Amino acid sequence: MFSLDKLIRDNIKKLTPYSSARDEFSGEANVFLDANENSLGSPLSKWYNRYPDPHQQKVKEAVSKVKNVNTERIFLGNGSDECIDLLYRSFCNPGKDNVIICPPTYGMYEVSANINDVEVRKAPLLDNFQLDLVHLENLADANTKIIWICSPNNPTANSLNRQDIETVLNNFNGLVVVDEAYINFSKQQSFTRELDEYPNLVVLQTFSKAWGLAGLRLGLAFASTEILGVLNKVKPPYNISQPTQELALKALEEIGQVNDMIREIVDMREALAEVFQRVPTIEKVYPSDANFLLIKIANARQVYNFLLSKGIVVRDRSSVKLCEDCLRITVGTEQENTELVDALKEWVESLT
Ligand SMILES: *Cc1c(COP(=O)(O)O)cnc(C)c1O
């Protein structure tokens, strides 16, 4: 049986959270002398002298409409990276608990574990880049608090089988975090629809990819009100700045434009994949459900350096297990993609 109570660290259970001025008074008033702000204003605009809404209620309401998830099940972090860190700090006892990751995958799960002194166990993906359920089951013990699943996965670009993720959700009594940073570029259904079904589910999404707002630093966690209650206790009171909240609200009104960009990126991804398939020395173009392509190419490191000499930076993943001789390439603009393909052709010609 899943018991959230058993997962929470004792010090967090006992914690009296910081009570901000905005928490202690949130009614109507004209004169705010309760938060030691600069009452005269700021050099920028009159709003920025005030602390922002610690609960980001307006942004959550807008997200709720777009994502069709109740506001009480939405948490906003300073990037997904803050959500990841908060999950460790809330649920994992340093030096005692462990988590499981499925490499090759997003690097922050492990870095954040190391920062928090939490043991990382690894159940590498199978050769087809799918979950190794047997290995996962063998690794989990009474101190395993979180299993990290990234789907579509970075850097392999594929979605993980939904049934496999459901198997993990059904059979593991810790938290299962499904990181959907790239979900908008896939045809997969989001696991946010399954929050009623699984009390141990946390879904991560972000404004950094499809929404085109990596500079804003805004990540989303969807989970039960109980899980989010814990994250809200642990988070810094004003973790999302006023400008970020205002800009996110504006962006959320432009969902049509965002959907257009997603369609365009997916079209260009498919076109680029086809071109890659015809480039000699590219041995494999992995299927992608994301806004990047993973390709296997002879002498990947040399290709990487050659592209760099042309002013084109891709991600060299050739030293990553299961990604030997692989480059991860983000879909660019039409012109950038053309430049990249031309450079690759030049590389191939230089070989003969
Ligand atoms: C890019 C990415 C994120 C986004 O992190 P932010 O902190 O929100 O920018 C999260 N997860 C994965 C797997 C990613 O590739």
Side-chain angles (χ1 to χ4, degrees):
M1 264 298 288
F2 175 76
S3 159
L4 185 66
D5 209 51
K6 279 195 210 151
L7 290 182
I8 308 170
R9 288 172 63 187
D10 270 335
N11 62 312
I12 301 302
K13 234 184 276 181
K14 289 189 207 127
L15 176 75
T16 308
Y18 179 74
S19 180
S20 68
R22 286 288 169 278
D23 280 320
E24 293 192 1
F25 181 84
S26 59
E28 292 290 314
N30 303 316
V31 183
F32 284 95
L33 304 176
D34 59 345
N36 295 348
E37 296 149 338
N38 186 332
S39 302
L40 302 186
S42 85
L44 296 176
S45 127
K46 62 177 177 171
W47 300 112
Y48 297 135
N49 61 330
R50 299 297 177 187
Y51 280 104
D53 174 7
H55 309 293
Q56 308 104 19
Q57 206 49 43
K58 282 186 183 154
V59 183
K60 284 178 186 169
E61 278 160 23
V63 170
S64 170
K65 287 199 186 107
V66 168
K67 301 284 178 183
N68 214 359
V69 176
N70 195 301
T71 53
E72 281 156 34
R73 285 176 165 183
I74 301 171
F75 177 89
L76 300 180
N78 189 332
S80 305
D81 292 342
E82 185 182 36
C83 302
I84 293 167
D85 179 66
L86 285 171
L87 285 162
Y88 281 111
R89 290 200 284 148
S90 302
F91 298 104
C92 300
N93 290 294
K96 178 174 170 228
D97 291 331
N98 67 76
V99 302
I100 304 177
I101 66 170
C102 305
T105 192
Y106 186 45
M108 277 310 287
Y109 313 141
E110 186 166 8
V111 172
S112 198
N114 291 338
I115 291 168
N116 287 287
D117 192 20
V118 173
E119 183 199 345
V120 175
R121 299 184 176 182
K122 295 178 182 175
L125 296 176
L126 301 166
D127 286 340
N128 61 0
F129 292 153
Q130 292 297 331
L131 292 174
D132 184 344
L133 292 177
V134 175
H135 197 173
L136 267 176
E137 188 173 1
N138 288 335
L139 284 183
D141 65 16
N143 289 322
T144 306
K145 294 294 186 73
I146 304 174
I147 295 178
W148 296 94
I149 293 173
C150 187
S151 180
N153 186 42
N154 176 6
T156 60
N158 62 303
S159 295
L160 302 189
N161 294 333
R162 196 174 185 86
Q163 264 199 329
D164 289 351
I165 299 175
E166 283 168 358
T167 300
V168 177
L169 281 161
N170 278 316
N171 291 286
F172 177 59
N173 282 329
L175 297 180
V176 179
V177 180
V178 181
D179 186 344
E180 297 184 336
Y182 299 98
I183 188 82
N184 301 101
F185 304 105
S186 82
K187 293 198 173 95
Q188 307 290 319
Q189 264 187 22
S190 168
F191 267 89
T192 52
R193 297 185 172 209
E194 313 295 332
L195 288 168
D196 280 330
E197 200 78 27
Y198 301 108
N200 56 341
L201 170 64
V202 179
V203 179
L204 297 184
Q205 292 185 7
T206 179
F207 280 77
S208 297
K209 308 288 155 67
W211 285 87
L213 293 168
L216 217 52
R217 307 312 301 133
L218 193 57
L220 297 156
F222 304 93
S224 71
T225 52
E226 290 79 12
I227 293 173
L228 296 191
V230 183
L231 298 188
N232 276 315
K233 232 171 114 170
V234 176
K235 83 175 180 76
Y238 304 110
N239 62 327
I240 309 297
S241 76
Q242 180 67 25
T244 298
Q245 293 191 39
E246 286 172 10
L247 292 169
L249 268 177
K250 267 186 110 162
L252 283 156
E253 288 172 10
E254 305 299 335
I255 181 137
Q257 192 191 334
V258 172
N259 281 332
D260 288 345
M261 286 199 290
I262 292 167
R263 267 189 289 271
E264 197 177 339
I265 289 169
V266 168
D267 286 347
M268 289 193 293
R269 177 188 78 202
E270 295 309 305
L272 201 53
E274 267 185 39
V275 175
F276 283 166
Q277 250 135 21
R278 293 195 302 266
V279 175
T281 86
I282 293 185
E283 292 160 28
K284 188 155 186 166
V285 183
Y286 291 91
S288 174
D289 261 354
N291 64 340
F292 58 87
L293 287 164
L294 187 75
I295 62 167
K296 194 186 251 316
I297 184 163
N299 303 309
R301 182 75 205 171
Q302 284 174 39
V303 179
Y304 172 83
N305 285 325
F306 179 81
L307 291 175
L308 212 50
S309 75
K310 301 269 153 198
I312 301 169
V313 204
V314 299
R315 198 81 194 266
D316 178 13
R317 301 281 80 184
S318 59
S319 60
V320 174
K321 242 198 212 153
L322 292 178
C323 294
E324 289 82 8
D325 262 336
C326 283
L327 299 177
R328 193 194 73 188
I329 301 173
T330 309
V331 176
T333 62
E334 203 74 63
Q335 160 143 21
E336 288 168 339
N337 298 337
T338 305
E339 254 182 69
L340 169 78
V341 168
D342 289 347
L344 281 172
K345 285 179 179 160
E346 201 180 319
W347 161 257
V348 172
E349 275 159 26
S350 76
L351 298 175
T352 55

